[in-house]
Amino acid sequence: MVKDYLWLHFVVLIWGFTAILGLLISLPAVEIVFYRTLLASIGLLLFLKFRRRPLKVSGSALTNFLLTGGLIGAHWILFFWAAQVSTASVCLAGLATCSLWTALIEPLVNRQPVKWYEVMLGLIVVLGLVVIFKFEPGYALGLLLAVLSALLSACFTVINGKLTKSHSPFVITFYEMIGAFLLTSAFMPFYAYWFTVDGFSWMPQGMDWFWLLVLSQVCTVVAFTLSVSLMKRISAFAVNLTVNMEPVYGILLAFMIFGEKEKMTTEFYVGTLIILASVGIYPVIRYVQKRRGLRTVRKIH
């Protein structure tokens, strides 16, 4: 279990770099997701063919994969959009609300009672966001987009937690990347009509190709497949709670790369620390709950 959590933190570290890549790549958010999902699908197809992994799945499974991939595509569009209209730090902080959404959604999907301590930890995250929002009002749109992105992230994480029980993580990720690509492609006409002035920025420039390869192969194929695999042994809430470390990793990386541009107010970091406190509290509560459960069992016997 400890090894699984170490791998999960490695995945979160990689994801902490994605908001930075959204700023390094000169393309707008929708075009970034278009290339990310296209290149990720191609990379996974080549990998699966090289490893001679079977790709055939049932019609119902394929539908579930593609629809979940659509949620992932929408999540990424909102995520990169949030980073580009605010900062990487604000985007990553808004994403931390994912644990609250998961605390409410996962019990509904699995038909289990809502755990009070998971909701409490999610509310602690919201408190941190209130502190951030109060002192960073200029980033309201970016924060809103990031929170919506977090809601979608909670949805597909819970769904993937169920899908991994019967399918290979590589196959799941492959079809979900196709689903994300199809959603992005279908959104393009509406995007062109309502959101663009000068049309699409179709062609990546200069270093864009390199950063897109890093984004699609490392931050998507490697990290996403690992995360899906870990969901076989770790709950969706625990995964998304650990993802709250993403702001820490992302902010540190952003400050190292962008310097003073990513420097925020003291209150911003206070809010971020409040969010991260939930990560440390969760295992303590889980340990206490487990001990109480063992004592109850002993009393019965």
Side-chain angles (χ1 to χ4, degrees):
M1 183 62 72
V2 174
K3 184 179 178 180
D4 289 336
Y5 276 101
L6 289 175
W7 275 112
L8 181 56
H9 277 275
F10 174 69
V11 169
V12 174
L13 175 63
I14 295 175
W15 282 342
F17 193 61
T18 57
I20 296 169
L21 289 173
L23 298 177
L24 292 173
I25 298 169
S26 64
L27 298 173
V30 177
E31 284 87 332
I32 289 177
V33 177
F34 176 86
Y35 280 106
R36 177 183 191 176
T37 53
L38 174 61
L39 294 173
S41 300
I42 294 172
L44 277 164
L45 178 62
L46 293 175
F47 173 81
L48 291 169
K49 288 294 185 181
F50 177 75
R51 297 292 297 270
R52 297 182 179 178
R53 298 285 183 91
L55 292 173
K56 188 176 181 180
V57 295
S58 66
S60 59
L62 178 61
T63 301
N64 289 332
F65 296 155
L66 294 178
L67 290 176
T68 305
L71 291 177
I72 295 169
H75 156 72
W76 281 338
I77 290 172
L78 290 171
F79 178 78
F80 288 117
W81 192 5
Q84 292 178 345
V85 300
S86 57
T87 69
S89 301
V90 170
C91 176
L92 291 167
L95 195 64
T97 57
C98 192
S99 55
L100 175 60
W101 299 123
T102 307
L104 299 173
I105 294 171
E106 187 174 24
L108 292 175
V109 173
N110 296 327
R111 297 180 181 179
Q112 297 174 346
V114 175
K115 297 180 178 67
W116 66 268
Y117 57 87
E118 291 186 353
V119 176
M120 181 194 72
L121 293 175
L123 290 173
I124 290 175
V125 171
V126 173
L127 174 62
L129 282 173
V130 170
V131 173
I132 293 170
F133 181 75
K134 181 178 179 181
F135 293 97
E136 302 290 344
Y139 299 120
L141 176 60
L143 194 58
L144 174 63
L145 293 172
V147 170
L148 291 175
S149 175
L151 173 60
L152 295 180
S153 177
C155 291
F156 72 71
T157 302
V158 172
I159 293 170
N160 276 340
K162 296 178 72 68
L163 294 177
T164 53
K165 295 176 182 176
S166 56
H167 297 88
S168 162
F170 292 101
V171 173
I172 292 173
T173 305
F174 171 64
Y175 285 114
E176 287 183 346
M177 289 305 102
I178 292 177
F181 173 74
L182 292 175
L183 179 282
T184 307
S185 300
F187 178 66
M188 284 292 190
F190 303 96
Y191 169 67
Y193 184 80
W194 291 102
F195 298 103
T196 64
V197 177
D198 301 321
F200 297 130
S201 301
W202 275 111
M203 289 307 297
Q205 303 295 322
M207 287 293 290
D208 285 347
W209 282 112
F210 172 76
W211 295 124
L212 282 168
L213 285 172
V214 172
L215 178 64
S216 63
Q217 305 309 311
V218 179
C219 299
T220 306
V221 173
V222 175
F224 200 83
T225 303
L226 272 173
S227 71
V228 173
S229 178
L230 290 170
M231 286 174 202
K232 290 183 177 180
R233 301 176 295 278
I234 302 176
S235 72
F237 180 82
V239 169
N240 281 333
L241 188 66
T242 307
V243 170
N244 287 336
M245 289 298 293
E246 189 174 340
V248 177
Y249 299 142
I251 289 168
L252 290 174
L253 290 169
F255 187 75
M256 290 170 61
I257 295 171
F258 299 117
E260 292 297 319
K261 180 182 177 182
E262 285 294 323
K263 187 176 181 180
M264 308 297 287
T265 64
T266 301
E267 290 78 8
F268 176 88
Y269 294 104
V270 171
T272 301
L273 287 174
I274 293 173
I275 293 171
L276 297 175
S278 63
V279 179
I281 294 172
Y282 180 69
V284 175
I285 295 178
R286 288 282 293 173
Y287 175 77
V288 172
Q289 291 290 317
K290 187 176 180 180
R291 294 281 293 180
R292 286 179 179 176
L294 289 174
R295 288 174 184 173
T296 302
V297 172
R298 287 171 183 170
K299 286 181 180 180
I300 293 174
H301 291 283

PDB file of all heavy atoms in Angstrom, residues 103-112 114:
ATOM      1  N   ALA A 103     -16.144  13.123  -2.447  1.00  0.00           N
ATOM      2  CA  ALA A 103     -16.763  12.692  -1.199  1.00  0.00           C
ATOM      3  C   ALA A 103     -18.278  12.594  -1.328  1.00  0.00           C
ATOM      4  O   ALA A 103     -18.922  11.799  -0.630  1.00  0.00           O
ATOM      5  CB  ALA A 103     -16.405  13.668  -0.074  1.00  0.00           C
ATOM      6  N   LEU A 104     -18.854  13.381  -2.225  1.00  0.00           N
ATOM      7  CA  LEU A 104     -20.304  13.372  -2.435  1.00  0.00           C
ATOM      8  C   LEU A 104     -20.722  12.411  -3.547  1.00  0.00           C
ATOM      9  O   LEU A 104     -21.762  11.751  -3.456  1.00  0.00           O
ATOM     10  CB  LEU A 104     -20.786  14.789  -2.775  1.00  0.00           C
ATOM     11  CG  LEU A 104     -20.543  15.855  -1.701  1.00  0.00           C
ATOM     12  CD1 LEU A 104     -20.899  17.234  -2.240  1.00  0.00           C
ATOM     13  CD2 LEU A 104     -21.333  15.543  -0.444  1.00  0.00           C
ATOM     14  N   ILE A 105     -19.895  12.313  -4.607  1.00  0.00           N
ATOM     15  CA  ILE A 105     -20.269  11.515  -5.779  1.00  0.00           C
ATOM     16  C   ILE A 105     -19.991  10.024  -5.580  1.00  0.00           C
ATOM     17  O   ILE A 105     -20.813   9.177  -5.934  1.00  0.00           O
ATOM     18  CB  ILE A 105     -19.514  12.025  -7.027  1.00  0.00           C
ATOM     19  CG1 ILE A 105     -19.978  13.448  -7.376  1.00  0.00           C
ATOM     20  CG2 ILE A 105     -19.739  11.095  -8.224  1.00  0.00           C
ATOM     21  CD1 ILE A 105     -19.141  14.114  -8.449  1.00  0.00           C
ATOM     22  N   GLU A 106     -18.817   9.681  -5.012  1.00  0.00           N
ATOM     23  CA  GLU A 106     -18.435   8.264  -4.893  1.00  0.00           C
ATOM     24  C   GLU A 106     -19.448   7.440  -4.103  1.00  0.00           C
ATOM     25  O   GLU A 106     -19.822   6.342  -4.543  1.00  0.00           O
ATOM     26  CB  GLU A 106     -17.041   8.142  -4.271  1.00  0.00           C
ATOM     27  CG  GLU A 106     -16.508   6.717  -4.279  1.00  0.00           C
ATOM     28  CD  GLU A 106     -15.078   6.627  -3.800  1.00  0.00           C
ATOM     29  OE1 GLU A 106     -14.635   7.533  -3.054  1.00  0.00           O
ATOM     30  OE2 GLU A 106     -14.397   5.651  -4.151  1.00  0.00           O
ATOM     31  N   PRO A 107     -19.938   7.910  -2.937  1.00  0.00           N
ATOM     32  CA  PRO A 107     -20.957   7.119  -2.216  1.00  0.00           C
ATOM     33  C   PRO A 107     -22.242   6.927  -3.018  1.00  0.00           C
ATOM     34  O   PRO A 107     -22.880   5.872  -2.926  1.00  0.00           O
ATOM     35  CB  PRO A 107     -21.212   7.954  -0.951  1.00  0.00           C
ATOM     36  CG  PRO A 107     -19.992   8.781  -0.778  1.00  0.00           C
ATOM     37  CD  PRO A 107     -19.543   9.097  -2.176  1.00  0.00           C
ATOM     38  N   LEU A 108     -22.638   7.926  -3.798  1.00  0.00           N
ATOM     39  CA  LEU A 108     -23.849   7.802  -4.601  1.00  0.00           C
ATOM     40  C   LEU A 108     -23.692   6.727  -5.672  1.00  0.00           C
ATOM     41  O   LEU A 108     -24.585   5.905  -5.884  1.00  0.00           O
ATOM     42  CB  LEU A 108     -24.189   9.147  -5.254  1.00  0.00           C
ATOM     43  CG  LEU A 108     -24.625  10.274  -4.310  1.00  0.00           C
ATOM     44  CD1 LEU A 108     -24.807  11.572  -5.091  1.00  0.00           C
ATOM     45  CD2 LEU A 108     -25.918   9.904  -3.591  1.00  0.00           C
ATOM     46  N   VAL A 109     -22.535   6.723  -6.336  1.00  0.00           N
ATOM     47  CA  VAL A 109     -22.286   5.750  -7.401  1.00  0.00           C
ATOM     48  C   VAL A 109     -22.179   4.332  -6.832  1.00  0.00           C
ATOM     49  O   VAL A 109     -22.701   3.368  -7.408  1.00  0.00           O
ATOM     50  CB  VAL A 109     -21.002   6.110  -8.176  1.00  0.00           C
ATOM     51  CG1 VAL A 109     -20.634   5.014  -9.167  1.00  0.00           C
ATOM     52  CG2 VAL A 109     -21.184   7.442  -8.910  1.00  0.00           C
ATOM     53  N   ASN A 110     -21.496   4.195  -5.693  1.00  0.00           N
ATOM     54  CA  ASN A 110     -21.276   2.875  -5.091  1.00  0.00           C
ATOM     55  C   ASN A 110     -22.386   2.467  -4.124  1.00  0.00           C
ATOM     56  O   ASN A 110     -22.298   1.418  -3.478  1.00  0.00           O
ATOM     57  CB  ASN A 110     -19.925   2.854  -4.358  1.00  0.00           C
ATOM     58  CG  ASN A 110     -18.771   3.033  -5.313  1.00  0.00           C
ATOM     59  OD1 ASN A 110     -18.817   2.593  -6.457  1.00  0.00           O
ATOM     60  ND2 ASN A 110     -17.718   3.687  -4.850  1.00  0.00           N
ATOM     61  N   ARG A 111     -23.421   3.337  -3.985  1.00  0.00           N
ATOM     62  CA  ARG A 111     -24.568   3.062  -3.106  1.00  0.00           C
ATOM     63  C   ARG A 111     -24.116   2.798  -1.680  1.00  0.00           C
ATOM     64  O   ARG A 111     -24.502   1.795  -1.061  1.00  0.00           O
ATOM     65  CB  ARG A 111     -25.385   1.899  -3.659  1.00  0.00           C
ATOM     66  CG  ARG A 111     -26.001   2.193  -5.025  1.00  0.00           C
ATOM     67  CD  ARG A 111     -26.808   1.031  -5.548  1.00  0.00           C
ATOM     68  NE  ARG A 111     -27.370   1.340  -6.865  1.00  0.00           N
ATOM     69  CZ  ARG A 111     -28.108   0.489  -7.578  1.00  0.00           C
ATOM     70  NH1 ARG A 111     -28.370  -0.724  -7.100  1.00  0.00           N
ATOM     71  NH2 ARG A 111     -28.577   0.847  -8.761  1.00  0.00           N
ATOM     72  N   GLN A 112     -23.307   3.692  -1.184  1.00  0.00           N
ATOM     73  CA  GLN A 112     -22.802   3.624   0.182  1.00  0.00           C
ATOM     74  C   GLN A 112     -23.139   4.928   0.901  1.00  0.00           C
ATOM     75  O   GLN A 112     -23.374   5.952   0.265  1.00  0.00           O
ATOM     76  CB  GLN A 112     -21.280   3.413   0.182  1.00  0.00           C
ATOM     77  CG  GLN A 112     -20.840   2.106  -0.453  1.00  0.00           C
ATOM     78  CD  GLN A 112     -19.333   2.007  -0.562  1.00  0.00           C
ATOM     79  OE1 GLN A 112     -18.614   2.995  -0.411  1.00  0.00           O
ATOM     80  NE2 GLN A 112     -18.843   0.803  -0.836  1.00  0.00           N
ATOM     81  N   VAL A 114     -22.639   8.408   2.798  1.00  0.00           N
ATOM     82  CA  VAL A 114     -21.616   9.452   2.724  1.00  0.00           C
ATOM     83  C   VAL A 114     -20.812   9.457   4.020  1.00  0.00           C
ATOM     84  O   VAL A 114     -21.379   9.414   5.114  1.00  0.00           O
ATOM     85  CB  VAL A 114     -22.275  10.835   2.494  1.00  0.00           C
ATOM     86  CG1 VAL A 114     -21.228  11.938   2.530  1.00  0.00           C
ATOM     87  CG2 VAL A 114     -23.020  10.857   1.167  1.00  0.00           C
TER      88      VAL A 114
END
